[in-house]
């Protein structure tokens, strides 16, 4: 694993989140019926930042809850060991509310799918919208982000790492390139994400490395070299005024562009699904 | 591509879990307890798994607790009752469990009056075996839920004094509790009449006393054990009344413990025998909470042992 580039500084992150908060207020009629749910783990501090920005701007107190989607994951019956469960805490009623679901990176869309299912078990909100700091593409489900901080096209072997003080002791957004060595091939990154805590499950890393299989690596390599010439240009500038509509268009465009590549990728990296960074 | 399945894990005694794993199961149990507080008390984590409850001995709370835990994780539950089964047609235990396994069960929760029966069954089948109590040997899930109750209230185990009072000899709960609690740094004191204290029990890294006041003094946790009338035919106690007089946990004796003492009991309680009725309903008592926590801890355990892919 090596850091390819830092895409956002702390100041960039807060500026972007401020913009997102105001987009949310604009679209939600002054935040009157809003509730915010942060997805464990990095969606929680990001959600709090959005809440504080909305609160101070609108002089209100938006209810804030925490959602852990582990028990709703769609890969529980395909991965070797059960992943760590974190706390869910939604101390208010969701019925009839406009829910803003917050996460750090939007990737395959599987996390959001799980979150939608879990929210439905808590009640029947009037609407659910998704706010993320980074959209890195590669969707595997028909899911979109409504409020997107920055769109960053990535290659399959790249990871977006969002660092937040509450979890990582510092702020910043980085592009990380995965090693080509078999030992740390794709699936291994999952346990790594949950540092420390999963160590008790000894078999995890061993099993995970077995899953990283060779053919997928050669294919993703090609993709990298294509994309590397055209590194992470930010499309954020375009997306300020009318977030919802422009986003949708762009997503469609992008999905056409990358459709062929994606189909190769999804076939070759089944085990790595749902990995975000 | 094939995903390598994880090795099947059994839980026969507390030895089958490392200290880190115990703490992790207890930590995660908090999240499962939150699930139990929702309107829809069900998560899809174990969809498609089948849990067989093999109870060869009477049980209320362990069986229902496991059944609820499995159902709230969306597993399918099959109840096996020894009295209406082919065991009555003299089918052996081994053949019975293999028949059940042939119907594609993933988990066997087993209670049997013979010590070591769960271990035996684990040898013959591919699924995971969870011991729900085997004779006077071991009852690890009860220990885990007792430990969770302590963990939730006290935040840890280091340096806690836990007094366990009653029928030590016949109690499988106490053996599993001793193992778990001492491994995580609690000090365990056992107390009971000499006829109900097995020889060499102090080898388990516990202290033993015949004086109930001494056991309770400065304790952080006082755990009563049931006098098992069904196992009292050998004349180990002169009379129940005499036992109550010398060993009952009553208000006066409990006042010797720390002011924030937890009073626990694995149930079922004989009110007025090992615990004074009034004390069992006092503010110190967490006996009902133990039952609630039992479901959460068993969910956490099932998720830990059989969540993820199996063969």
């Amino acid at each position: 694993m090596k850091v390819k580039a830092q895409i956002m500084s702390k100041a960039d992150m807060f500026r972007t989140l401020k913009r997102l908060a105001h987009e949310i207020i604009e679209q939600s009629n002054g935040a009157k019926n809003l509730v915010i749910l942060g997805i464990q783990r990095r969606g929680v501090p990001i959600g709090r930042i959005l809440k504080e920005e909305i609160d101070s701007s609108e002089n209100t107190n938006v209810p804030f809850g925490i959602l852990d989607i582990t028990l709703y994951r769609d890969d529980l019956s395909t991965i070797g060991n059960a992943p760590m469960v974190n706390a869910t805490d939604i101390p208010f009623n969701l019925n009839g509310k406009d829910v803003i679901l917050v996460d750090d990176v939007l990737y395959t869309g599987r996390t959001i799918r799980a979150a939608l299912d879990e929210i439905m078990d808590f009640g029947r909100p009037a609407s659910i919208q998704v706010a993320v700091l980074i959209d890195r593409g590669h969707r595997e489900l028909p899911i979109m982000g409504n409020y997107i901080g920055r769109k960053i096209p990535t290659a399959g072997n790249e990871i977006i790492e969002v660092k937040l003080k509450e979890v990582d002791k510092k702020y910043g957004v980085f592009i990380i390139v995965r090693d080509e060595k078999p030992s740390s091939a794709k699936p291994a990154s999952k346990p790594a994400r949950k540092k420390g805590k999963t160590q008790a499950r000894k078999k995890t890393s061993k099993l995970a490395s077995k899953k990283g299989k060779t053919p997928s690596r050669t294919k993703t390599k090609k993709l990298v070299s294509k994309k590397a010439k055209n590194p992470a240009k930010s499309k954020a500038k375009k997306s300020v005024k009318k977030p919802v509509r422009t986003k949708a268009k762009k997503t469609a465009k992008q999905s056409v562009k990358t459709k062929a590549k994606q189909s190769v990728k999804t076939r070759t990296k089944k085990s790595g699904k749902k990995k975000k960074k | 591509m094939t995903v390598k399945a994880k090795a099947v894990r059994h839980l026969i005694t507390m030895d089958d879990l490392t200290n880190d794993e115990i703490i992790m199961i207890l930590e995660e149990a908090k999240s499962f307890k939150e699930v139990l507080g929702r309107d829809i008390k069900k998560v899809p984590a174990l969809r498609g798994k089948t849990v067989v409850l093999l109870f060869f001995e009477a049980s209320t709370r362990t069986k229902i607790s496991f059944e609820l835990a499995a159902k709230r994780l969306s597993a399918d539950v099959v109840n096996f009752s020894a009295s209406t089964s082919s065991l009555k047609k003299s089918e052996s235990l081994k053949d019975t469990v293999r028949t059940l396994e042939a119907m594609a069960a993933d988990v066997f929760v087993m209670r049997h009056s013979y010590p070591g029966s769960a271990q035996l069954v684990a040898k013959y089948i591919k699924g995971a075996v969870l011991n729900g109590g085997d004779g006077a040997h071991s009852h690890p899930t009860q220990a885990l839920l007792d430990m969770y109750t302590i963990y939730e209230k006290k935040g840890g185990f280091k340096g806690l004094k836990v007094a366990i009072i009653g029928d030590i000899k016949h109690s499988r709960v106490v053996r599993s509790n001793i193992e778990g609690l001492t491994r995580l740094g609690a000090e365990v004191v056992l107390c009971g009449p000499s006829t109900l204290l097995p020889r060499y029990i102090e080898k388990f890294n516990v202290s033993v006393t015949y004086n109930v006041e001494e056991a309770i003094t400065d304790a952080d946790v006082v755990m009563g054990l049931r006098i098992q009338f069904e196992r009292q035919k050998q004349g180990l106690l002169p009379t129940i009344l005499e036992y109550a007089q010398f060993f009952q946990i009553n208000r006066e004796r409990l006042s010797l413990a720390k002011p924030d003492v937890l009073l626990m009991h694995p149930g079922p309680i004989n009110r007025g025998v090992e615990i004074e009725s009034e004390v069992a309903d006092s503010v110190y008592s967490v006996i009902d909470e133990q039952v609630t926590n039992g479901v959460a801890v068993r969910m956490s355990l099932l998720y830990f042992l059989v969540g993820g892919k199996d063969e």
Side-chain angles (χ1 to χ4, degrees):
Chain A
M1 306 278 260
K2 62 173 194 284
V3 177
K4 183 173 151 191
Q6 173 162 10
I7 334 168
M8 291 175 105
S9 66
K10 179 183 172 183
D12 294 334
M13 289 167 77
F14 274 84
R15 222 175 282 131
T16 302
L17 289 174
K18 197 167 185 171
R19 191 197 84 224
L20 287 186
H22 288 276
E23 285 179 18
I24 293 171
I25 296 168
E26 191 183 16
Q27 297 288 323
S28 66
N29 192 19
K32 281 196 190 65
N33 197 34
L34 276 191
V35 302
I36 296 181
L37 296 181
I39 299 178
Q40 289 268 29
R41 285 161 27 122
R42 290 180 179 75
V44 176
I46 293 180
R48 285 227 169 83
I49 296 169
L50 290 176
K51 168 188 158 56
E52 275 156 31
E53 194 59 50
I54 293 171
D55 281 356
S56 68
S57 165
E58 293 301 295
N59 196 19
T60 145
N61 185 12
V62 178
F64 180 78
I66 294 171
L67 200 64
D68 180 70
I69 55 96
T70 312
L71 297 170
Y72 288 76
R73 285 170 61 148
D74 58 6
D75 57 355
L76 278 179
S77 57
T78 58
I79 52 179
N81 279 54
M84 186 81 193
V85 183
N86 291 303
T88 294
D89 181 21
I90 304 179
F92 45 83
N93 193 334
L94 292 180
N95 288 333
K97 292 290 181 184
D98 293 315
V99 175
I100 305 289
L101 199 51
V102 182
D103 204 357
D104 56 346
V105 179
L106 184 53
Y107 178 26
T108 60
R110 287 173 192 270
T111 302
I112 301 297
R113 195 286 309 165
L116 293 176
D117 273 2
E118 181 158 17
I119 289 172
M120 295 308 176
D121 280 357
F122 272 92
R124 189 176 183 280
S127 70
I128 302 178
Q129 290 184 299
V130 175
V132 292
L133 184 60
I134 307 288
D135 179 357
R136 62 164 290 194
H138 302 283
R139 214 77 77 239
E140 292 167 1
L141 295 173
I143 276 174
M144 67 165 194
N146 303 77
Y147 307 97
I148 291 168
R150 210 178 270 193
K151 257 191 178 161
I152 298 177
T154 52
N157 72 332
E158 290 172 339
I159 307 170
I160 301 285
E161 265 192 12
V162 174
K163 303 271 191 193
L164 292 151
K165 200 180 89 214
E166 290 80 350
V167 186
D168 316 284
K169 310 255 188 313
K170 62 169 184 178
Y171 288 103
V173 180
F174 302 87
I175 295 191
I176 311 281
V177 180
R178 276 198 206 93
D179 284 342
E180 301 294 311
K181 271 183 286 161
S183 63
S184 55
K186 240 178 244 173
S189 73
K190 190 77 215 177
R193 228 182 100 211
K194 318 216 150 166
K195 282 155 204 162
K197 279 189 171 174
T198 31
Q199 275 169 7
R201 276 162 203 175
K202 282 168 196 149
K203 271 165 242 133
T204 318
S205 60
K206 216 167 71 192
L207 284 167
S209 63
K210 270 181 204 157
K211 282 190 275 175
K213 48 163 217 166
T214 16
S216 71
R217 241 177 295 123
T218 52
K219 267 172 195 160
T220 38
K221 226 190 234 169
K222 262 184 224 159
L223 279 172
V224 187
S225 54
K226 252 186 245 165
K227 288 243 168 175
K229 288 172 199 158
N230 186 17
K233 51 176 180 187
S234 150
K235 291 180 185 172
K237 274 176 241 159
K238 288 191 225 160
S239 61
V240 185
K241 272 287 149 58
K242 279 189 178 173
V244 185
R245 242 197 305 151
T246 48
K247 285 297 136 50
K249 247 189 252 164
K250 242 181 279 166
T251 319
K253 232 191 288 170
Q254 202 188 25
S255 73
V256 173
K257 241 197 299 179
T258 52
K259 209 174 171 186
K261 288 177 207 162
Q262 273 202 25
S263 66
V264 172
K265 258 177 284 157
T266 40
R267 235 184 295 129
T268 54
K269 60 165 194 178
K270 264 171 202 152
S271 69
K273 275 178 187 176
K274 244 212 74 124
K275 205 117 331 83
K276 266 194 315 189
K277 292 148 242 179
Chain B
M1 119 180 198
T2 55
V3 178
K4 183 94 171 69
K6 64 174 177 179
V8 170
R9 297 263 319 245
H10 304 296
L11 179 67
I12 312 294
T13 71
M14 293 296 280
D15 258 345
D16 294 319
L17 297 171
T18 67
N19 288 359
D20 287 348
E21 286 169 344
I22 293 174
I23 292 294
M24 187 168 70
I25 288 168
L26 301 186
E27 267 299 323
E28 292 188 330
K30 287 182 191 168
S31 304
F32 288 102
K33 197 172 177 182
E34 179 271 322
V35 171
L36 297 179
R38 298 181 188 175
D39 284 346
I40 298 179
K41 303 171 183 57
K42 198 175 181 108
V43 290
L46 290 192
R47 247 178 343 161
K49 307 266 183 194
T50 306
V51 177
V52 178
L53 304 178
L54 274 171
F55 278 68
F56 297 94
E57 211 186 57
S59 165
T60 310
R61 66 213 79 216
T62 305
K63 188 175 178 185
I64 291 182
S65 181
F66 259 117
E67 180 162 357
L68 279 178
K71 285 183 170 167
R72 287 180 175 171
L73 290 169
S74 305
D76 295 314
V77 180
V78 179
N79 265 296
F80 169 89
S81 155
S83 57
T84 58
S85 71
S86 280
L87 285 170
K88 288 276 169 218
K89 304 178 192 164
S90 72
E91 186 177 42
S92 74
L93 175 58
K94 178 180 159 185
D95 288 332
T96 302
V97 291
R98 288 177 78 154
T99 306
L100 291 166
E101 175 158 61
M103 299 181 199
D106 303 281
V107 187
F108 294 85
V109 179
M110 180 162 160
R111 167 170 289 188
H112 199 286
S113 54
Y114 284 149
S117 47
Q119 182 82 58
L120 179 84
V121 166
K123 271 204 312 211
Y124 294 126
I125 60 175
K126 288 196 236 70
V129 175
L130 308 192
N131 187 357
D134 56 340
H137 174 225
S138 153
H139 192 352
T141 59
Q142 177 71 40
L144 284 171
L145 78 89
D146 290 343
M147 290 172 76
Y148 176 76
T149 308
I150 297 172
Y151 189 71
E152 191 184 60
K153 299 278 179 189
K154 303 284 183 189
F157 301 97
K158 281 244 153 45
L160 293 184
K161 179 179 174 184
V162 181
I164 306 182
I165 298 157
D167 184 354
I168 310 290
K169 188 184 172 92
H170 297 105
S171 173
R172 51 189 166 219
V173 176
V174 85
R175 277 162 191 72
S176 293
N177 259 317
I178 288 173
E179 208 184 316
L181 289 168
T182 55
R183 262 169 52 190
L184 290 172
E187 178 205 339
V188 177
V189 182
L190 303 180
C191 175
S194 58
T195 48
L196 294 180
L197 274 163
R199 291 166 79 189
Y200 310 121
I201 188 93
E202 56 291 343
K203 301 261 187 223
F204 283 114
N205 202 11
V206 295
S207 46
V208 174
T209 174
Y210 303 115
N211 180 329
V212 71
E213 279 87 7
E214 188 190 318
I216 293 180
T217 300
D218 286 333
D220 298 278
V221 177
V222 173
M223 193 184 294
L225 296 176
R226 187 172 67 95
I227 293 297
Q228 307 198 8
F229 293 113
E230 70 271 25
R231 299 188 225 265
Q232 288 301 348
K233 294 189 180 119
Q234 307 111 306
L236 295 172
L237 290 175
T239 66
I240 293 300
L241 203 66
E242 187 175 321
Y243 173 84
Q245 193 180 343
F246 285 103
F247 292 99
Q248 187 184 74
I249 302 164
N250 56 27
R251 182 160 289 275
E252 193 185 326
R253 285 172 179 151
L254 199 61
S255 66
L256 298 168
K258 294 224 175 108
D260 60 345
V261 66
L262 300 181
L263 177 65
M264 302 173 66
H265 193 296
I269 313 179
N270 301 311
R271 282 176 186 269
V273 182
E274 67 265 5
I275 280 193
E276 194 182 30
S277 189
E278 180 196 353
V279 173
D281 302 323
S282 68
V283 288
Y284 307 108
S285 168
V286 289
I287 296 170
D288 292 339
E289 264 177 80
Q290 281 175 273
V291 179
T292 310
N293 292 342
V295 179
V297 167
R298 287 180 175 112
M299 284 170 82
S300 183
L301 182 74
L302 282 169
Y303 174 73
F304 172 73
L305 288 178
V306 290
K309 186 180 175 62
D310 62 15
E311 290 171 87

